[in-house]
Amino acid sequence: MRLGEVERLRGELAEFVADVFGSLSRRDQRRWGECYLRGLMLDGRRKSIQPMAERLPEGNMQALQQFVNQSPWDPLPVRQRIAARLSEVITPEVWVIDDVSFPKCGKASVGVARQYCGAVGKRANCQVAVSVHAATDTASCPLEWQLYLPREWTDEPDRCRRAGVPDDVVHREKWRLALGLLDTLAQWQLKAPVVVADAGYGVSTPFRLGLEERGLSYVLALTGKEVAHLEDAEPYQPAYGGLGPPTLARYRTPPRAVCVLAVEAGAERFTEVTWRQGSKGAMTSRFAVLTVRPAGKQSLAAAQEAGGGRNRWDGVLPTRTLLVEWPDGQDTPTGYWISNLPATTPTADLVRWAKMRWRIEHDYRELKHGLGLGHFEGRTWRGWHHHVTLVTAAQAFLTLRRLYPKVRTPA
């Protein structure tokens, strides 16, 4: 936005800030919060503090630095209010779990390490954050964030201390961080309609079990290499040989990759489904729904535990729904998703939810390129979470403006 456009929105922005930053006890904190949001929305190549302060009429670099990096305001109540307000307005069909990376130079910025960086498509020096987004076909917004700390950080307490990492923060896998974010949102009295995520999360059996333990429905992408039995496969009990522990029940044939099971189902089983209208017309492909019994080592261990232990388990693996995409003209299927929803769920619904994950790419374009999500140049845990919260607030304000273009944002 140009300066004149941002200035014309100051009245609406002041109302929005008074609402979502109501947990900040000091008036000057709310004032600099509003100033920071205007800096984020202003046109400019960099959205770090110095260039924003130079573009703003009343910009004060020192005050903004102090507000973002040192001021002890808690970002969680701010994100809670944003999440509640946007969830009410958007009425999401899915919650999307994802992670986003921020390329960085040096080693001092909190959480930075050489790891896979989606922004450049390879391993690189970067920070990585896990996020949860509310989404429909027409709108989306981030609900909650958490910075990922690699083991090389948590194994060096002094390094964490210099970056201001709280003492109770330990290394946790990304799927565990995602479950933690869902628990936080549940504490905020928000409930996920359907959880969707890419294969980085879908291949994790503990993650899927964690969702099921929380009573959440999911449609998660797979790579196609995961193994399973067909629904009608039944285990049998080998005769006891008389020595040692009882022989466990087992399936007569080894499990096969889901990509193989999909091909064996036959192309005639796939039907055409349109999931939404795009800018270039209807988005259509061919899909089939299969019922399978996931059979990897983690699935086997989980089934044994649920069945009362290895020696008491009856050998039956639970069924799950497998959605497969096989576009017309392709030699083999191209997409796979696993779900704990019943196989009787309309295929069109499963497809729409699975594909809705890509809606958040609109988020990232605006958050990264328009609002400077990755432009924070501070090095501390507090500063990073403050900046991300402020960027989320700016994106929420703009989303409300798009949904209500002719009236002020609703209180």
Side-chain angles (χ1 to χ4, degrees):
M1 287 184 177
R2 296 178 181 177
L3 181 59
E5 295 175 296
V6 174
E7 290 297 308
R8 284 193 292 272
L9 294 176
R10 290 190 69 159
E12 294 178 44
L13 184 59
E15 292 179 8
F16 176 81
V17 168
D19 179 21
V20 301
F21 288 88
S23 59
L24 275 62
S25 59
R26 290 166 42 186
R27 183 181 301 176
D28 65 314
Q29 291 176 327
R30 295 191 293 274
R31 178 164 64 90
W32 289 117
E34 180 186 341
C35 182
Y36 200 92
L37 295 194
R38 284 189 282 116
L40 292 172
M41 291 187 291
L42 270 176
D43 289 340
R45 187 172 182 178
R46 289 292 298 176
K47 301 297 177 73
S48 52
I49 291 175
Q50 181 177 349
M52 286 199 305
E54 292 173 352
R55 288 191 287 266
L56 290 163
E58 75 280 36
N60 183 315
M61 187 175 72
Q62 184 175 356
L64 289 174
Q65 287 274 17
Q66 198 279 333
F67 170 70
V68 175
N69 289 312
Q70 284 84 43
S71 184
W73 58 275
D74 187 352
L76 277 180
V78 178
R79 296 206 291 263
Q80 179 179 0
R81 179 57 187 144
I82 294 170
R85 185 162 173 176
L86 269 292
S87 293
E88 182 178 353
V89 171
I90 290 177
T91 314
E93 288 192 66
V94 299
W95 281 3
V96 184
I97 293 175
D98 199 24
D99 48 69
V100 58
S101 56
F102 310 96
K104 291 287 180 180
C105 297
K107 299 180 179 179
S109 295
V110 62
V112 71
R114 187 165 181 80
Q115 53 194 321
Y116 180 77
C117 180
V120 297
K122 61 182 181 180
R123 286 180 60 84
N125 214 48
C126 67
Q127 294 168 312
V128 175
V130 178
S131 58
V132 180
H133 304 244
T136 68
D137 275 333
T138 58
S140 60
C141 67
L143 299 178
E144 181 60 323
W145 301 84
Q146 181 65 68
L147 185 66
Y148 170 71
L149 279 187
R151 286 192 184 278
E152 63 188 76
W153 270 82
T154 55
D155 288 345
E156 298 183 34
D158 290 341
R159 190 183 187 190
C160 288
R161 197 172 300 114
R162 288 193 298 271
V165 178
D167 292 338
D168 60 346
V169 174
V170 298
H171 169 77
R172 300 171 71 196
E173 298 92 335
K174 294 170 189 173
W175 65 266
R176 292 187 191 276
L177 291 179
L179 292 176
L181 295 179
L182 293 175
D183 290 341
T184 297
L185 292 168
Q187 293 169 9
W188 294 351
Q189 305 304 310
L190 299 175
K191 181 170 177 58
V194 176
V195 175
V196 301
D198 64 19
Y201 294 90
V203 299
S204 171
T205 300
F207 176 67
R208 301 199 303 264
L209 292 174
L211 294 178
E212 292 170 8
E213 289 167 0
R214 289 161 174 79
L216 299 176
S217 301
Y218 60 77
V219 181
L220 308 174
L222 298 176
T223 65
K225 299 177 182 179
E226 298 75 22
V227 295
H229 296 283
L230 291 174
E231 177 186 18
D232 57 4
E234 296 182 358
Y236 75 103
Q237 182 70 54
Y240 179 52
L243 296 174
T247 306
L248 298 179
R250 65 189 65 174
Y251 287 87
R252 295 180 182 275
T253 58
R256 289 172 292 169
V258 295
C259 62
V260 174
L261 298 179
V263 171
E264 291 179 348
E268 65 280 359
R269 186 158 180 176
F270 289 73
T271 58
E272 191 171 273
V273 176
T274 298
W275 61 91
R276 72 180 179 89
Q277 294 292 324
S279 58
K280 298 181 180 180
M283 304 190 74
T284 303
S285 187
R286 297 190 311 143
F287 296 87
V289 173
L290 310 176
T291 302
V292 298
R293 299 180 185 275
K297 290 182 179 180
Q298 291 181 330
S299 296
L300 179 64
Q304 289 177 347
E305 182 178 353
R310 184 174 183 272
N311 293 325
R312 299 179 61 185
W313 177 50
D314 61 5
V316 178
L317 290 164
T319 60
R320 293 294 179 265
T321 298
L322 180 70
L323 175 68
V324 183
E325 179 180 7
W326 193 340
D328 191 30
Q330 296 291 324
D331 294 334
T332 57
T334 60
Y336 309 87
W337 296 265
I338 190 170
S339 177
N340 62 340
L341 291 164
T344 54
T345 304
T347 304
D349 289 341
L350 292 173
V351 172
R352 191 175 71 256
W353 294 330
K355 294 292 186 177
M356 210 172 287
R357 181 203 166 273
W358 297 104
R359 168 65 210 187
I360 67 168
E361 298 303 323
H362 294 275
D363 276 355
Y364 285 140
R365 278 196 291 272
E366 183 172 50
L367 290 165
K368 285 186 170 184
H369 304 302
L371 298 172
L373 179 64
H375 294 180
F376 179 62
E377 295 177 350
R379 295 178 174 179
T380 65
W381 176 272
R382 174 185 293 170
W384 187 91
H385 283 88
H386 281 174
H387 172 75
V388 166
T389 300
L390 290 159
V391 172
T392 301
Q395 198 258 358
F397 175 75
L398 294 174
T399 298
L400 290 170
R401 284 283 306 168
R402 284 191 289 269
L403 294 174
Y404 297 94
K406 296 180 181 180
V407 298
R408 290 193 171 188
T409 50

